[in-house]
Amino acid sequence: MNLYLKGARIVDPSDLTGETPVLIKTKALYDIYIRNGKIAFIAPQGKEPIPAAAKVIDLAGKIVTPGLIDMHTHLREPGEEYKETIATGCLAAVSGGFTAIACMPNTKPANDNKSVTEYILQKAQEAGLATVYPIGAISKGLQGEILAEFGDMKAAGIVAVTDDGRPVMNGELMRRALEYARNFDLPVISHCEDLTLCSGGVMNEGSVSTQLGLLGIPAVAEEVMIFREIRLANLTGGSVHIAHVSARSSVDLIRQAKASGINVTAETAPHYFSLTEEAVAGYDTNAKMNPPLRTTEDVAAVIEGLKDGTIDAIASDHAPHSTLEKDVEFNMAANGIVGLETILPLTLKLVHAGHLSLYEAIVKLSANPARILRIEVPSIQIGKKADLTIIDPDRKFIVDVHKFQSISKNSPFHGWELKGKAVMTIINGRIVFDDLD
Amino acid sequence: MKEKPFTIKHILDIAGLSPDQITYILDTAESFKEISTRSIKKVPTLRGKTVINLFFEPSTRTRASFEIAAKRLSADTLSISASTSSVVKGETLIDTARNLEAMQPDVIVLRHSLSGAPHLLSRHVRASVINAGDGAHEHPTQALLDLLTVREKKGEIKGLKLAIIGDIAHSRVAHSNILGFTKMGANVVVSGPATMIPPYIEKLGAKVTLSIKKALQGADVIMALRIQLERQNKLSFPSIREYATYFGLNTQHLALAASDAIVMHPGPVNRGVEISPEVADGPHSAILDQVTNGVAVRMALLYLLLGSESQ
Ligand SMILES: [Zn+2]
């Protein structure tokens, strides 16, 4: 069915580098006509007659943006479908306003060869919701010993490589990965954690860990690994992307590296700018994650990094776990939280607080992830595929994990009152999520 | 044969040879090729001279080539295989050299797993030293036989595009060929997994591209390098199969090169890995010509180091 989106504000940051025609219309209101899955015209409100047989959607007070992309999602299929499947993950994605997600390779078996890559793409196709971009493993079996077949996996459809979930402890392997990835133009995503500095740790090392009697993971475990990756990127000319930045001096290191022209990009996740280690109080396993939640200073530095562009992207690090893994002693609990359905509202919180403009927030949720993964930057232009996210910036709601589309409910944000959310997601001109009032 | 004094004592590397000297060696080798086609493949040129093949690293092909070359010139030859496992700080090499001196050799052909070993030896013996491959440094006689093969097939080397594909970092053949071919006016481009391309290789005169397709585009000469399966660091590439798919020379890759391109390989070939059987045995292959020319080049070198002085 053809759609007629009536009277919306458009926020389209796809022109950042000047390579695509500019369309930033934050003040004026526009009508967008979507025919056969593509954007047929964009006109000032009421200027063009509404084509016959179009479904008219009134978007007064809403914002239309290019489809959001989450570059760091853990789908648990194959292997742990009781936590999440590719289909339920895609459903959670579109419910959170995402038209595309990139999924991490730490499935069972790991996505370290093209058969698994093809399986993921097949399942995503069958789900028919968000576009799924598989990310391949750096090492076979995520064992950190032998390079996985980047060439074959790239031919099958991967957009990056990473051993995320674990760091690549062998420095030479990381060097070779950065080199070998250059042959196939793949970014290397690094989970930065020096395991020799965090053995046994289950939360941030600091006053709270001491109070709670839990073993701590110092921020330096992240920082030293980021330093190594930056130097290796400098040596090899490869592109390294630092996943889930959580600590103050991590942000400083990346800022300095960028200033000296090194090919490094970075992301953070909403929990690192929304929560501190205090959330662990009461041994809440929903606040157990890796890297761990850190201090107020770290949160401020992460926000500062987002503001000044040191941190390019915001990613969910959606990590579904069942109660089997979470309803246990803190030490035994799995790391991670679900995030696809809260990432946009938590990012909008930064906008409401004046830290980021709406435009900057959309850059970090759409254009920048696309650029880092070297996939097409979504944009609202005539002739383009209609992958759009419609946001109500003022909608107030209370986070209720029981309403999540994700199979897993492990979120520390349950019960939070937030303002602003995705109210409609359109993929290929088709409405795949509708919460418009 | 051209009457031109050839005043070099040792053949240690291509880096130390001038374009004129290289041309002179190739011209001499060309004239020696004829000897190998006679029914009695032997001339008395080096009668009474002694050539010692000192191989600290096994190489049946190179050693056989040097032996045949020496024998066709009537020199006495002696082959010594030794292990480098006991070599500490070059002491064994120098000890061996002192012992060899007692046998009054005229030429010592040295193959060694450590770069610079021939240079060290040349400072301790009266004989001429020919480097038959030292570590990841150079393999000058291989480059000379490659140059001869290309000159034969293409008429001249100047202006040709040579693509060297594979393990550039560990390859003395690549090093010698980059130096030799650029000296003679060819454009050399190297490609392969980025894990196998050493830093600053451009300083030797080669262009680097990570796209094997770009490297092969319009190439007149393609040189595939041997993957040292037994020695390969397992971090360099994920699997033989993936290497063969993306970096091996197959018919689709060959189609990108000039229509009359020739394909070379220093041997022994891992069929189906760095080069597909269709290409290794196909009409573009010059691999067997390389072997034939190897003997001629080594005869020329022995003659130039020894024979020409007595003329
Ligand atoms: Zn991670």
mmCIF file of all heavy atoms in Angstrom, chain A residues 128-160:
data_model
loop_
_atom_site.group_PDB
_atom_site.id
_atom_site.type_symbol
_atom_site.label_atom_id
_atom_site.label_comp_id
_atom_site.label_asym_id
_atom_site.label_seq_id
_atom_site.Cartn_x
_atom_site.Cartn_y
_atom_site.Cartn_z
ATOM 1 N N GLY A 128 11.484 -11.095 7.764
ATOM 2 C CA GLY A 128 10.931 -10.034 6.928
ATOM 3 C C GLY A 128 10.715 -8.718 7.653
ATOM 4 O O GLY A 128 9.803 -7.966 7.306
ATOM 5 N N LEU A 129 11.520 -8.428 8.652
ATOM 6 C CA LEU A 129 11.348 -7.166 9.372
ATOM 7 C C LEU A 129 12.581 -6.289 9.154
ATOM 8 O O LEU A 129 12.791 -5.805 8.052
ATOM 9 C CB LEU A 129 11.083 -7.445 10.857
ATOM 10 C CG LEU A 129 9.724 -8.130 11.130
ATOM 11 C CD1 LEU A 129 9.684 -8.720 12.524
ATOM 12 C CD2 LEU A 129 8.577 -7.131 10.940
ATOM 13 N N ALA A 130 13.379 -6.131 10.187
ATOM 14 C CA ALA A 130 14.576 -5.299 10.049
ATOM 15 C C ALA A 130 15.593 -5.971 9.127
ATOM 16 O O ALA A 130 15.648 -7.195 9.018
ATOM 17 C CB ALA A 130 15.205 -5.076 11.425
ATOM 18 N N THR A 131 16.407 -5.124 8.470
ATOM 19 C CA THR A 131 17.528 -5.659 7.702
ATOM 20 C C THR A 131 18.601 -6.100 8.694
ATOM 21 O O THR A 131 18.921 -5.362 9.625
ATOM 22 C CB THR A 131 18.112 -4.557 6.797
ATOM 23 O OG1 THR A 131 17.052 -4.055 5.985
ATOM 24 C CG2 THR A 131 19.214 -5.114 5.908
ATOM 25 N N VAL A 132 19.136 -7.298 8.506
ATOM 26 C CA VAL A 132 20.161 -7.800 9.424
ATOM 27 C C VAL A 132 21.504 -7.843 8.699
ATOM 28 O O VAL A 132 21.610 -8.395 7.606
ATOM 29 C CB VAL A 132 19.790 -9.197 9.958
ATOM 30 C CG1 VAL A 132 20.941 -9.790 10.782
ATOM 31 C CG2 VAL A 132 18.524 -9.114 10.810
ATOM 32 N N TYR A 133 22.489 -7.211 9.308
ATOM 33 C CA TYR A 133 23.848 -7.257 8.772
ATOM 34 C C TYR A 133 24.702 -8.119 9.697
ATOM 35 O O TYR A 133 25.057 -7.680 10.788
ATOM 36 C CB TYR A 133 24.446 -5.847 8.708
ATOM 37 C CG TYR A 133 23.745 -4.930 7.731
ATOM 38 C CD1 TYR A 133 22.858 -3.947 8.174
ATOM 39 C CD2 TYR A 133 23.969 -5.043 6.361
ATOM 40 C CE1 TYR A 133 22.220 -3.105 7.280
ATOM 41 C CE2 TYR A 133 23.329 -4.211 5.458
ATOM 42 C CZ TYR A 133 22.459 -3.245 5.924
ATOM 43 O OH TYR A 133 21.830 -2.419 5.035
ATOM 44 N N PRO A 134 25.059 -9.310 9.278
ATOM 45 C CA PRO A 134 25.863 -10.158 10.167
ATOM 46 C C PRO A 134 27.293 -9.622 10.298
ATOM 47 O O PRO A 134 27.847 -9.064 9.360
ATOM 48 C CB PRO A 134 25.875 -11.517 9.473
ATOM 49 C CG PRO A 134 24.857 -11.439 8.383
ATOM 50 C CD PRO A 134 24.720 -9.995 8.029
ATOM 51 N N ILE A 135 27.837 -9.811 11.475
ATOM 52 C CA ILE A 135 29.245 -9.491 11.727
ATOM 53 C C ILE A 135 29.958 -10.813 11.968
ATOM 54 O O ILE A 135 29.463 -11.654 12.724
ATOM 55 C CB ILE A 135 29.377 -8.548 12.942
ATOM 56 C CG1 ILE A 135 28.726 -7.192 12.600
ATOM 57 C CG2 ILE A 135 30.839 -8.361 13.349
ATOM 58 C CD1 ILE A 135 28.674 -6.217 13.755
ATOM 59 N N GLY A 136 31.079 -11.007 11.310
ATOM 60 C CA GLY A 136 31.806 -12.270 11.415
ATOM 61 C C GLY A 136 32.804 -12.257 12.556
ATOM 62 O O GLY A 136 33.161 -11.206 13.100
ATOM 63 N N ALA A 137 33.270 -13.435 12.918
ATOM 64 C CA ALA A 137 34.265 -13.559 13.982
ATOM 65 C C ALA A 137 35.646 -13.157 13.467
ATOM 66 O O ALA A 137 35.939 -13.278 12.278
ATOM 67 C CB ALA A 137 34.309 -14.995 14.483
ATOM 68 N N ILE A 138 36.478 -12.671 14.352
ATOM 69 C CA ILE A 138 37.890 -12.452 14.020
ATOM 70 C C ILE A 138 38.608 -13.796 14.005
ATOM 71 O O ILE A 138 39.368 -14.097 13.092
ATOM 72 C CB ILE A 138 38.559 -11.511 15.051
ATOM 73 C CG1 ILE A 138 38.084 -10.080 14.843
ATOM 74 C CG2 ILE A 138 40.097 -11.595 14.936
ATOM 75 C CD1 ILE A 138 38.568 -9.102 15.900
ATOM 76 N N SER A 139 38.333 -14.610 15.015
ATOM 77 C CA SER A 139 39.071 -15.877 15.114
ATOM 78 C C SER A 139 38.109 -17.048 15.085
ATOM 79 O O SER A 139 36.944 -16.931 15.485
ATOM 80 C CB SER A 139 39.907 -15.908 16.395
ATOM 81 O OG SER A 139 39.076 -15.936 17.533
ATOM 82 N N LYS A 140 38.620 -18.172 14.590
ATOM 83 C CA LYS A 140 37.796 -19.374 14.510
ATOM 84 C C LYS A 140 37.328 -19.769 15.905
ATOM 85 O O LYS A 140 38.121 -19.868 16.836
ATOM 86 C CB LYS A 140 38.593 -20.508 13.878
ATOM 87 C CG LYS A 140 38.728 -20.316 12.378
ATOM 88 C CD LYS A 140 39.537 -21.397 11.705
ATOM 89 C CE LYS A 140 39.709 -21.016 10.230
ATOM 90 N NZ LYS A 140 40.892 -21.625 9.612
ATOM 91 N N GLY A 141 36.026 -19.965 16.025
ATOM 92 C CA GLY A 141 35.453 -20.374 17.300
ATOM 93 C C GLY A 141 35.619 -19.331 18.386
ATOM 94 O O GLY A 141 35.452 -19.637 19.553
ATOM 95 N N LEU A 142 35.936 -18.084 18.012
ATOM 96 C CA LEU A 142 36.202 -17.002 18.975
ATOM 97 C C LEU A 142 37.282 -17.426 19.966
ATOM 98 O O LEU A 142 37.304 -16.977 21.109
ATOM 99 C CB LEU A 142 34.923 -16.600 19.740
ATOM 100 C CG LEU A 142 33.681 -16.250 18.906
ATOM 101 C CD1 LEU A 142 32.481 -16.035 19.823
ATOM 102 C CD2 LEU A 142 33.913 -15.012 18.052
ATOM 103 N N GLN A 143 38.179 -18.290 19.502
ATOM 104 C CA GLN A 143 39.205 -18.835 20.390
ATOM 105 C C GLN A 143 40.441 -17.941 20.486
ATOM 106 O O GLN A 143 41.337 -18.200 21.286
ATOM 107 C CB GLN A 143 39.627 -20.232 19.911
ATOM 108 C CG GLN A 143 38.535 -21.284 20.009
ATOM 109 C CD GLN A 143 38.095 -21.537 21.448
ATOM 110 O OE1 GLN A 143 38.897 -21.861 22.298
ATOM 111 N NE2 GLN A 143 36.807 -21.327 21.711
ATOM 112 N N GLY A 144 40.504 -16.938 19.627
ATOM 113 C CA GLY A 144 41.647 -16.031 19.701
ATOM 114 C C GLY A 144 42.947 -16.633 19.212
ATOM 115 O O GLY A 144 44.024 -16.189 19.607
ATOM 116 N N GLU A 145 42.858 -17.632 18.344
ATOM 117 C CA GLU A 145 44.081 -18.301 17.893
ATOM 118 C C GLU A 145 44.341 -18.207 16.394
ATOM 119 O O GLU A 145 45.439 -17.877 15.979
ATOM 120 C CB GLU A 145 44.039 -19.780 18.319
ATOM 121 C CG GLU A 145 44.284 -19.953 19.807
ATOM 122 C CD GLU A 145 43.865 -21.312 20.317
ATOM 123 O OE1 GLU A 145 43.570 -22.191 19.490
ATOM 124 O OE2 GLU A 145 43.824 -21.476 21.553
ATOM 125 N N ILE A 146 43.318 -18.514 15.588
ATOM 126 C CA ILE A 146 43.506 -18.540 14.135
ATOM 127 C C ILE A 146 42.477 -17.613 13.491
ATOM 128 O O ILE A 146 41.320 -17.592 13.913
ATOM 129 C CB ILE A 146 43.304 -19.973 13.580
ATOM 130 C CG1 ILE A 146 44.277 -20.942 14.256
ATOM 131 C CG2 ILE A 146 43.479 -20.011 12.064
ATOM 132 C CD1 ILE A 146 44.019 -22.393 13.932
ATOM 133 N N LEU A 147 42.892 -16.864 12.493
ATOM 134 C CA LEU A 147 41.954 -15.979 11.807
ATOM 135 C C LEU A 147 40.807 -16.781 11.194
ATOM 136 O O LEU A 147 41.021 -17.856 10.651
ATOM 137 C CB LEU A 147 42.676 -15.222 10.684
ATOM 138 C CG LEU A 147 43.686 -14.153 11.091
ATOM 139 C CD1 LEU A 147 44.392 -13.624 9.849
ATOM 140 C CD2 LEU A 147 43.006 -13.019 11.842
ATOM 141 N N ALA A 148 39.610 -16.237 11.271
ATOM 142 C CA ALA A 148 38.472 -16.824 10.572
ATOM 143 C C ALA A 148 38.535 -16.396 9.100
ATOM 144 O O ALA A 148 39.325 -15.534 8.733
ATOM 145 C CB ALA A 148 37.170 -16.362 11.218
ATOM 146 N N GLU A 149 37.697 -16.993 8.288
ATOM 147 C CA GLU A 149 37.766 -16.740 6.847
ATOM 148 C C GLU A 149 37.032 -15.454 6.471
ATOM 149 O O GLU A 149 35.881 -15.478 6.047
ATOM 150 C CB GLU A 149 37.215 -17.948 6.086
ATOM 151 C CG GLU A 149 38.119 -19.152 6.249
ATOM 152 C CD GLU A 149 37.557 -20.434 5.647
ATOM 153 O OE1 GLU A 149 36.326 -20.556 5.528
ATOM 154 O OE2 GLU A 149 38.368 -21.301 5.304
ATOM 155 N N PHE A 150 37.719 -14.325 6.621
ATOM 156 C CA PHE A 150 37.098 -13.018 6.347
ATOM 157 C C PHE A 150 36.592 -12.944 4.905
ATOM 158 O O PHE A 150 35.531 -12.391 4.639
ATOM 159 C CB PHE A 150 38.115 -11.873 6.529
ATOM 160 C CG PHE A 150 38.628 -11.675 7.934
ATOM 161 C CD1 PHE A 150 38.272 -12.512 8.971
ATOM 162 C CD2 PHE A 150 39.484 -10.603 8.203
ATOM 163 C CE1 PHE A 150 38.762 -12.301 10.266
ATOM 164 C CE2 PHE A 150 39.974 -10.379 9.477
ATOM 165 C CZ PHE A 150 39.618 -11.235 10.515
ATOM 166 N N GLY A 151 37.384 -13.474 3.990
ATOM 167 C CA GLY A 151 37.042 -13.353 2.568
ATOM 168 C C GLY A 151 35.734 -14.049 2.249
ATOM 169 O O GLY A 151 34.839 -13.474 1.616
ATOM 170 N N ASP A 152 35.620 -15.278 2.705
ATOM 171 C CA ASP A 152 34.416 -16.051 2.443
ATOM 172 C C ASP A 152 33.204 -15.448 3.135
ATOM 173 O O ASP A 152 32.115 -15.399 2.582
ATOM 174 C CB ASP A 152 34.610 -17.479 2.981
ATOM 175 C CG ASP A 152 34.928 -18.425 1.855
ATOM 176 O OD1 ASP A 152 35.372 -17.941 0.796
ATOM 177 O OD2 ASP A 152 34.731 -19.640 2.028
ATOM 178 N N MET A 153 33.395 -14.998 4.373
ATOM 179 C CA MET A 153 32.269 -14.430 5.113
ATOM 180 C C MET A 153 31.834 -13.107 4.487
ATOM 181 O O MET A 153 30.659 -12.800 4.409
ATOM 182 C CB MET A 153 32.638 -14.232 6.583
ATOM 183 C CG MET A 153 32.802 -15.542 7.348
ATOM 184 S SD MET A 153 32.906 -15.276 9.132
ATOM 185 C CE MET A 153 34.479 -14.454 9.297
ATOM 186 N N LYS A 154 32.808 -12.330 4.013
ATOM 187 C CA LYS A 154 32.455 -11.060 3.357
ATOM 188 C C LYS A 154 31.648 -11.360 2.095
ATOM 189 O O LYS A 154 30.635 -10.708 1.826
ATOM 190 C CB LYS A 154 33.735 -10.287 3.020
ATOM 191 C CG LYS A 154 33.545 -9.159 2.019
ATOM 192 C CD LYS A 154 33.293 -7.820 2.669
ATOM 193 C CE LYS A 154 33.043 -6.763 1.605
ATOM 194 N NZ LYS A 154 33.339 -5.415 2.029
ATOM 195 N N ALA A 155 32.089 -12.363 1.344
ATOM 196 C CA ALA A 155 31.347 -12.723 0.136
ATOM 197 C C ALA A 155 29.929 -13.156 0.496
ATOM 198 O O ALA A 155 28.982 -12.926 -0.249
ATOM 199 C CB ALA A 155 32.077 -13.826 -0.621
ATOM 200 N N ALA A 156 29.770 -13.765 1.680
ATOM 201 C CA ALA A 156 28.446 -14.209 2.106
ATOM 202 C C ALA A 156 27.614 -13.062 2.688
ATOM 203 O O ALA A 156 26.402 -13.180 2.802
ATOM 204 C CB ALA A 156 28.577 -15.333 3.129
ATOM 205 N N GLY A 157 28.257 -11.965 3.101
ATOM 206 C CA GLY A 157 27.464 -10.823 3.551
ATOM 207 C C GLY A 157 27.853 -10.151 4.854
ATOM 208 O O GLY A 157 27.133 -9.271 5.324
ATOM 209 N N ILE A 158 28.976 -10.513 5.467
ATOM 210 C CA ILE A 158 29.323 -9.823 6.711
ATOM 211 C C ILE A 158 29.782 -8.384 6.421
ATOM 212 O O ILE A 158 30.248 -8.079 5.318
ATOM 213 C CB ILE A 158 30.424 -10.535 7.540
ATOM 214 C CG1 ILE A 158 31.760 -10.605 6.789
ATOM 215 C CG2 ILE A 158 29.967 -11.903 7.997
ATOM 216 C CD1 ILE A 158 32.945 -10.877 7.697
ATOM 217 N N VAL A 159 29.631 -7.522 7.422
ATOM 218 C CA VAL A 159 29.988 -6.114 7.248
ATOM 219 C C VAL A 159 31.140 -5.680 8.161
ATOM 220 O O VAL A 159 31.611 -4.545 8.073
ATOM 221 C CB VAL A 159 28.775 -5.193 7.501
ATOM 222 C CG1 VAL A 159 27.705 -5.424 6.432
ATOM 223 C CG2 VAL A 159 28.198 -5.420 8.897
ATOM 224 N N ALA A 160 31.574 -6.575 9.056
ATOM 225 C CA ALA A 160 32.666 -6.251 9.977
ATOM 226 C C ALA A 160 33.104 -7.562 10.614
ATOM 227 O O ALA A 160 32.468 -8.603 10.398
ATOM 228 C CB ALA A 160 32.188 -5.273 11.063
#
